[in-house]
Amino acid sequence: MSNDPPSPVSSPLSYLELVKICDNFRLPPNYGSIDVFQRPSDTDSFVPWTLSQSLGSPAVGLLRLDVVNLLRKEKPGTWVIPEPQAGHRVSFDASVNTPRKRIAVLKELCERWRDTGVFPASIGPRKWRNEMYPVYRNPFGVHDYYPENDSDEGLGNYAFEMERAACALFGVVTYGIHMTIYQGIASSPQVKIWVPTRAKTKQTWPSWLDNTVAGGIPSGMPVFESLVKECEEEASMEADIVRDHARPVGTISYFFRNKMHFLQPEVEYNYDLEVPHDTPFQPRPSDGEVESFDLLSLDEVKFKMRQGIFKPNCAAVLIDFLVRHGHLTPDDEPDYMEIVTRLHGRFEHERWCQQVCI
């Protein structure tokens, strides 16, 4: 993430370079071996976080070693941190075995870390979002919701939820919605796209260009309802327009490591909305998160993307738009195949606990 306004690059970025800004991490070759513990301060080494120490327990996150060492100091009965060994993993204590209990442990821990200045650049008072994000057993599975359950028996994919700002500290997969609102025919070179400028007061990426509507998916809220909420809050759009005209067009997913070397694997659910001829409208700032909306030509959007002044994941969503509507093709883009495949990654999830969860 960035706390600074954008600065245009001196030479235009390629589309692949833009994708690589988002999809910028791969697990190192020594992941899962004893070697990762030789340098405790190494910010490039990670260990898996599983729900329990049982074989087959799903890996829900990836922890840096400094986070692991802090968890090792927690009171007994909350975390299990085995001695360093090949296949080492961190988990909740066996007694912390339901969504409600996991939520309680994480709430107390993260709020205490916030109040005592642990990782202030990530979860300090100014970074705290006071918004809960879901964590799932299978990051590619169904988004169900059981926060009050006192049993894990027969439950679905939901594992627990946690403060949004802390998700990167624990390397969990997070989810968002993005919508591109355009005027004209999407496949035409004359299509125009509504592009917002983020407010100068945003906690992250202030003054960067964004997708027309975008936001995180909070715990317990269905994907499409998250879109409707963001459209109302960010762009002053009536819910009926969104429900009648927004079209789901797929997802992108990428393995991102932020500037503080914490991992943020992310999935974005993408939507398109063509401004209807019979109900013309334009998005307008509403909740203070957007400075302004501008209707830009496709060439203007491409130029600003390659200047590097779009928030990185928003540039990735727009590249997906270009691919889907034929503005980026295998015949005119030499990196086409790598671009398309890297926009639909799996975070090497099969490797997260390959040595201990089989």
Side-chain angles (χ1 to χ4, degrees):
M1 68 184 70
S2 174
N3 299 321
D4 301 316
S7 177
V9 296
S10 55
S11 58
L13 297 166
S14 71
Y15 292 122
L16 179 57
E17 286 173 326
L18 287 169
V19 170
K20 285 181 175 180
I21 293 173
C22 271
D23 189 45
N24 65 357
F25 181 77
R26 295 295 181 269
L27 291 170
N30 68 345
Y31 174 77
S33 74
I34 190 67
D35 298 341
V36 302
F37 299 98
Q38 302 308 310
R39 294 183 295 168
S41 61
D42 183 7
T43 59
D44 291 325
S45 295
F46 299 85
V47 297
W49 176 27
T50 59
L51 293 182
S52 75
Q53 292 290 310
S54 301
L55 289 177
S57 182
V60 294
L62 292 169
L63 304 178
R64 240 171 47 179
L65 295 185
D66 52 350
V67 176
V68 174
N69 289 332
L70 283 173
L71 294 177
R72 197 183 297 277
K73 299 174 183 177
E74 291 296 308
K75 63 183 180 182
T78 53
W79 299 90
V80 177
I81 319 285
E83 290 303 310
Q85 58 185 310
H88 175 100
R89 56 185 165 145
V90 173
S91 73
F92 291 107
D93 185 79
S95 64
V96 184
N97 56 3
T98 69
R100 179 184 289 182
K101 292 177 181 178
R102 297 178 194 122
I103 293 167
V105 165
L106 284 166
K107 181 177 186 297
E108 190 280 329
L109 174 74
C110 293
E111 290 180 354
R112 174 161 40 86
W113 282 3
R114 176 198 63 194
D115 296 341
T116 55
V118 178
F119 301 119
S122 295
I123 58 170
R126 295 185 62 185
K127 297 297 182 181
W128 196 260
R129 305 299 288 268
N130 202 30
E131 182 179 357
M132 301 300 280
Y133 267 11
V135 177
Y136 300 106
R137 300 164 187 271
N138 174 5
F140 308 107
V142 65
H143 289 208
D144 49 16
Y145 186 57
Y146 305 98
E148 299 300 322
N149 274 74
D150 287 322
S151 171
D152 257 359
E153 294 298 322
L155 286 186
N157 198 31
Y158 176 85
F160 56 89
E161 59 192 52
M162 62 186 298
E163 158 63 30
R164 174 177 179 172
C167 287
L169 298 183
F170 290 84
V172 301
V173 179
T174 58
Y175 305 85
I177 53 91
H178 288 248
M179 185 160 71
T180 303
I181 300 179
Y182 63 91
Q183 289 187 192
I185 299 172
S187 59
S188 167
Q190 281 72 50
V191 67
K192 293 186 176 182
I193 297 173
W194 282 103
V195 175
T197 299
R198 293 165 66 89
K200 297 181 179 68
T201 54
K202 286 283 288 181
Q203 291 171 306
T204 57
W205 307 100
S207 298
W208 290 68
L209 301 185
D210 209 321
N211 290 127
T212 318
V213 176
I217 301 175
S219 193
M221 184 171 290
V223 175
F224 189 74
E225 292 306 312
S226 297
L227 176 69
V228 173
K229 176 181 78 73
E230 293 293 340
C231 286
E232 292 177 321
E233 293 177 354
E234 289 188 359
S236 306
M237 292 174 61
E238 295 179 7
D240 287 346
I241 291 178
V242 183
R243 296 187 191 282
D244 291 343
H245 298 284
R247 296 188 302 110
V249 293
T251 64
I252 66 168
S253 47
Y254 48 87
F255 208 172
F256 180 61
R257 179 171 62 175
N258 65 28
K259 291 183 177 180
M260 293 171 285
H261 285 225
F262 290 110
L263 300 184
Q264 294 180 253
E266 295 186 318
V267 175
E268 313 292 0
Y269 289 85
N270 296 337
Y271 292 79
D272 283 354
L273 190 153
E274 179 185 357
V275 175
H277 300 291
D278 57 348
T279 315
F281 72 92
Q282 68 179 62
R284 301 185 311 276
S286 175
D287 62 0
E289 295 198 356
V290 172
E291 198 80 23
S292 63
F293 285 93
D294 296 292
L295 187 61
L296 303 182
S297 70
L298 188 63
D299 284 342
E300 288 175 306
V301 171
K302 290 178 179 178
F303 178 76
K304 292 177 183 295
M305 286 169 61
R306 299 186 68 180
Q307 279 188 305
I309 60 176
F310 270 90
K311 184 170 176 276
N313 63 341
C314 298
V317 169
L318 285 168
I319 291 171
D320 180 67
F321 180 92
L322 298 180
V323 170
R324 289 187 289 102
H325 294 293
H327 300 292
L328 198 63
T329 72
D331 294 322
D332 60 28
E333 173 52 64
D335 297 314
Y336 183 88
M337 193 62 197
E338 186 170 0
I339 289 169
V340 171
T341 54
R342 291 185 73 147
L343 285 175
H344 301 90
R346 291 180 57 85
F347 328 121
E348 300 180 284
H349 190 254
E350 290 76 9
R351 289 188 62 198
W352 286 21
C353 62
Q354 62 183 3
Q355 296 188 13
V356 292
C357 298
I358 299 174

